[in-house]
């Protein structure tokens, strides 16, 4: 099935610094089958009803590059061949997909997993229409500061394992619930032990201990805290919103991060119109996340930039807020990613399939667009070319569905369709 309104842009072209062997393999996607070494076992997954490659030069020519009656060959941690199963190369091992669908592992490019505590009462009150005066993010900050390293690590590993069982093979996670130099640095150390996509979010909110001195907190975030956190992170983020950080503060924080080698991403335009999206484009942020309240100028700026609009439907589901208009963004030519925003307050889900279903039902996306955004789109939001696709040279991250088509992710919402997961070439589910 091809998209009614396909994503206007595919994932970014391979980084010119990528090694030549990988680029050569990509350019010969349907014909190259490198000989495997004696020390590296190869595996063929065959009898695939529909294979999502995310390469429009393959299969049906759609953005998903759908190949029917397909097979995928894996060697080590890489894909080495994709195509018609009747032309598959010989391999050491063979897995029969049983006429089911295979797609790239989901790329969750926005989550907040280093936390402690519980906000069930807050959610229950919100869903019951009752006022609730607890502290929101501040409640989680207090619990996180009080937790031991072991407790925080147990939470991270629990939710990463939960996401992996649902097909997520690439994870980004942030700090942001410590808001002291020591607590932000330890959050990032814990995160970095489990994923290579780690984001410094000291600028989540102004903590209570700096309530009367927000400028002093910005100085801390851009000074001593940044010094302690930069070695453990790849990205820097800021919540640019009324009640959090304004445009000038956000620019200062992201600029300081760039000077230390961290690349910007930004929580932008979630609760109201604001400067976040324009700032993201100005600073070449990898992504502007949420993007719920946009002007035409915001949409146009995104469409003419490398900045990905990352939509987080779990947040709208859990807060009954207005849905982002994915259709508007896609029709304008904006690259769109989907992510869970997994956090204890506003989107306590680790399920990318659930977010795909929400995006189709409530944000105007077709099933094909939603699957692309949850895989290749997430990779684009992380400036990655080795994940989110299944072509030679890509990392061997695959999801086997207990369904004949990827469309079932939206067609059968809430059903545990993921029946197998390979990460870096190893079957992990």
């Amino acid at each position: 099935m091809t998209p009614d309104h396909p994503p206007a842009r595919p994932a970014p072209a391979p980084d010119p610094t990528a090694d030549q062997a990988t680029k050569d393999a990509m350019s010969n996607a349907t014909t190259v089958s490198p000989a495997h070494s004696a020390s590296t076992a190869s595996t063929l997954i065959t009898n695939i009803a529909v294979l999502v490659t995310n390469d429009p030069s393959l299969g049906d020519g759609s953005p998903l590059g759908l190949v029917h009656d397909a097979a995928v060959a894996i060697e080590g941690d890489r894909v080495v061949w994709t195509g018609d199963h009747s032309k598959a190369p010989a391999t050491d091992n063979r897995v029969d997909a049983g006429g089911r669908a295979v797609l790239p592992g989901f790329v969750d490019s926005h989550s907040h997993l280093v936390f402690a505590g519980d906000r069930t009462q807050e959610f229950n009150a919100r869903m019951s229409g009752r006022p609730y005066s607890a502290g929101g993010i501040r409640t989680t900050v207090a619990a996180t500061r009080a937790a031991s390293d072991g407790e925080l690590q147990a939470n991270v590993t629990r939710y990463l394992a939960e996401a992996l069982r649902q097909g997520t093979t690439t994870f980004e996670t942030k700090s942001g619930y410590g808001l002291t130099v020591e607590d932000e640095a330890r959050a990032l150390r814990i995160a970095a032990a489990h994923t290579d996509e780690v984001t410094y979010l000291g600028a989540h909110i102004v903590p209570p201990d700096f309530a009367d001195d927000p400028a002093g907190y910005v100085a801390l975030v851009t000074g001593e805290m940044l010094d302690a956190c930069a070695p453990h992170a790849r990205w820097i983020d800021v919540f640019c919103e009324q009640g959090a950080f304004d445009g000038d503060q956000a620019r200062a924080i992201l600029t300081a991060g760039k000077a230390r080698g961290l690349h910007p991403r930004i929580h932008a335009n979630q609760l109201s119109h604001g400067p976040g999206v324009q700032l993201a484009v100005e600073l070449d942020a990898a992504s502007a996340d949420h993007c719920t309240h946009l002007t035409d100028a915001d949409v146009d700026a995104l469409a003419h930039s490398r900045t990905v609009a990352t939509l987080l439907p779990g947040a709208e589901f859990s807060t009954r807020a207005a849905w982002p208009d994915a259709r508007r963004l896609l029709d304008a030519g904006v690259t769109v990613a989907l992510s869970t925003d997994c956090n204890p307050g506003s989107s306590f889900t680790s399920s990318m399939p659930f977010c795909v279903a929400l995006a189709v039902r409530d944000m105007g996306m077709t099933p094909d667009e939603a699957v692309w955004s949850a895989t290749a789109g997430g990779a684009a939001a992380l400036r990655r070319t080795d994940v989110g696709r299944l072509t030679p040279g890509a990392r061997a991250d695959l999801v086997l569905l207990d369904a004949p088509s990827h469309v079932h992710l939206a067609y059968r919402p809430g059903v545990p369709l993921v029946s197998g997961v390979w990460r870096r070439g190893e079957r992990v589910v």
Side-chain angles (χ1 to χ4, degrees), residues 161 164-167 418-422 426-429:
L164 184 65
R165 291 194 299 272
Q166 298 173 90
V418 174
S419 61
V421 179
W422 284 256
E426 295 290 330
R427 186 163 188 172
V428 291
V429 174

Side-chain angles (χ1 to χ4, degrees), residues 360-376:
V360 173
R361 169 62 178 81
D362 292 304
M363 287 165 35
M365 301 183 84
T366 69
D368 282 29
E369 288 168 336
V371 168
W372 190 95
S373 294
T375 52

Side-chain angles (χ1 to χ4, degrees), residues 68-120:
H68 296 268
D69 300 319
V72 179
I74 301 169
E75 185 176 300
D77 66 351
R78 298 286 152 174
V79 173
V80 294
W81 182 91
T82 61
D84 188 299
H85 74 97
S86 67
K87 301 175 182 178
T91 56
D92 300 312
N93 305 299
R94 183 176 289 254
V95 176
D96 188 340
R100 291 174 287 182
V102 170
L103 62 152
F106 296 117
V107 180
D108 191 344
S109 60
H110 183 129
S111 72
H112 305 250
L113 300 184
V114 188
F115 69 88
D118 179 85
R119 284 158 67 183
T120 302

Side-chain angles (χ1 to χ4, degrees), residues 50 158 184 191 212 314 317 321 343-344 393 408 414:
V50 177
R158 172 188 174 186
E184 285 294 292
D212 297 326
F317 177 86
N343 74 82
H408 281 234

Side-chain angles (χ1 to χ4, degrees), residues 89-411:
T91 56
D92 300 312
N93 305 299
R94 183 176 289 254
V95 176
D96 188 340
R100 291 174 287 182
V102 170
L103 62 152
F106 296 117
V107 180
D108 191 344
S109 60
H110 183 129
S111 72
H112 305 250
L113 300 184
V114 188
F115 69 88
D118 179 85
R119 284 158 67 183
T120 302
Q121 290 183 330
E122 175 186 333
F123 176 81
N124 190 37
R126 187 164 63 236
M127 294 297 106
S128 303
R130 298 195 305 267
Y132 188 75
S133 58
I137 291 174
R138 291 172 177 83
T139 300
T140 302
V141 169
T144 302
R145 288 178 177 179
S148 68
D149 288 8
E151 289 170 329
L152 294 179
Q153 179 154 297
N155 257 6
V156 171
T157 56
R158 172 188 174 186
Y159 296 120
L160 288 178
E162 184 179 275
L164 184 65
R165 291 194 299 272
Q166 298 173 90
T168 300
T169 53
T170 301
F171 316 90
E172 180 272 358
T173 199
K174 309 176 191 295
S175 64
Y177 291 126
L179 309 186
T180 66
V181 173
E182 179 182 353
D183 286 307
E184 285 294 292
R186 75 164 176 155
L188 293 172
R189 285 195 302 270
I190 290 168
H194 300 282
T195 177
D196 54 359
E197 297 296 345
V198 178
T199 301
Y200 166 46
L201 182 59
H204 200 180
I205 59 166
V206 176
D209 28 330
F210 278 87
D212 297 326
D213 186 18
Y217 187 66
V218 171
L220 181 68
V221 168
T222 58
E224 182 184 356
M225 188 183 289
L226 176 60
D227 291 340
C229 291
H232 308 292
R234 180 184 177 199
W235 307 96
I236 185 168
D237 198 346
V238 59
F239 187 18
C240 183
E241 186 64 65
Q242 293 180 14
F245 298 89
D246 63 26
D248 290 340
Q249 292 169 326
R251 179 182 287 103
I253 291 164
L254 296 179
T255 301
K258 287 186 74 171
R260 290 297 306 271
L262 303 182
H263 202 86
R265 40 198 336 105
I266 186 168
H267 286 59
N269 300 54
Q270 177 186 3
L271 306 176
S272 60
H273 293 291
V277 165
Q278 295 291 336
L279 181 60
V281 172
E282 173 192 328
L283 297 180
D284 187 36
S287 67
D289 298 19
H290 289 289
C291 292
T292 305
H293 300 278
L294 303 178
T295 64
D296 289 344
D298 293 331
V299 175
D300 185 67
L302 287 167
H304 291 89
S305 75
R306 296 199 304 162
T307 300
V308 174
T310 300
L311 307 184
L312 310 165
E316 283 70 41
F317 177 86
S318 297
T319 61
R320 291 179 175 161
W323 297 98
D325 189 348
R327 180 81 273 130
R328 179 188 182 194
L329 290 164
L330 290 165
D331 288 347
V334 177
T335 300
V336 172
L338 288 176
S339 188
T340 63
D341 192 17
C342 186
N343 74 82
S346 62
S347 183
F348 204 6
T349 179
S350 59
S351 175
M352 289 291 279
F354 175 63
C355 292
V356 166
L358 290 180
V360 173
R361 169 62 178 81
D362 292 304
M363 287 165 35
M365 301 183 84
T366 69
D368 282 29
E369 288 168 336
V371 168
W372 190 95
S373 294
T375 52
L382 295 173
R383 300 255 166 108
R384 296 279 294 270
T385 60
D386 61 329
V387 296
R389 58 186 178 84
L390 292 177
T391 55
R395 204 169 79 176
D397 294 350
L398 306 89
V399 174
L400 174 66
L401 297 181
D402 191 13
S405 168
H406 60 283
V407 178
H408 281 234
L409 290 166
Y411 180 43

